[in-house]
Amino acid sequence: QVRLVESGGGLAQAGGSLRLSCAASGRTFSANAIGWFRAAPGKDREFVAAIQRSAGSATVAATMKDRFTITRGSDENTVYLQMDRLKVEDTATYYCAGGSVSQSFLLQRPSSYHSWGQGTRVTVST
C-alpha cells in the first residue's frame, strides 16, 4: 500500500486560508487517485476533493468548490488542498486517502480508497 502523510493543518481565522499537503510514498503506483476527506466531531466522514495523480483531473465537493482547490505537485506524489475563505464549519480533521479508482463517480466514496493518512487537524475560529 501507499503511505500518506498530511501536513499543513492548524489554527486559522474565519475568512483566512490554509494549504494542506499530502505526501505519498511507498507503493505509489497502487494509488492512481488521491482524495481528501474530513471528519468533524460527531459527524460522518465527508468527501472534500480528489485528483487523479497522472491525468490531473480533479473534483471538489459541490459545497466547497468555490473555496477549495486540489492540485498535485510536478512529481505527482504530493497533493495539495488549498482552502480559502475558511468558515468555522470547516473545522475538522482532514485525511488524505489513496486508491485505485477506475471511474470518476467513485472518487467521492471512502470505500474506493485503500490507504489513509493519520489526518491533520484544522480549526477555524471567529
Side-chain angles (χ1 to χ4, degrees), residues 79-90:
V79 172
Y80 304 98
L81 181 68
Q82 178 67 39
M83 305 187 295
D84 297 318
R85 301 195 302 281
L86 285 164
K87 302 177 180 180
V88 172
E89 49 265 42
D90 293 321

Side-chain angles (χ1 to χ4, degrees), residues 1-4 24-35 51-54 76-77 79 97-101 112-115:
Q1 291 188 343
V2 62
R3 181 172 180 261
L4 302 166
S25 61
R27 299 169 62 90
T28 57
F29 58 86
S30 68
N32 69 334
I34 299 292
I51 190 166
Q52 299 278 9
R53 289 176 55 239
S54 295
E76 301 179 4
N77 289 332
V79 172
S100 181
V101 184
S112 297
Y113 299 86
H114 53 66
S115 299

Side-chain angles (χ1 to χ4, degrees), residues 59-93:
T59 183
V60 181
T63 56
M64 305 170 210
K65 64 190 310 178
D66 61 333
R67 301 185 296 118
F68 291 5
T69 305
I70 185 170
T71 57
R72 59 177 168 84
S74 58
D75 65 354
E76 301 179 4
N77 289 332
T78 304
V79 172
Y80 304 98
L81 181 68
Q82 178 67 39
M83 305 187 295
D84 297 318
R85 301 195 302 281
L86 285 164
K87 302 177 180 180
V88 172
E89 49 265 42
D90 293 321
T91 295
T93 299

Side-chain angles (χ1 to χ4, degrees), residues 34-46:
I34 299 292
W36 282 99
F37 294 80
R38 68 185 186 185
K43 295 187 177 181
D44 292 335
R45 186 168 39 183
E46 178 182 24

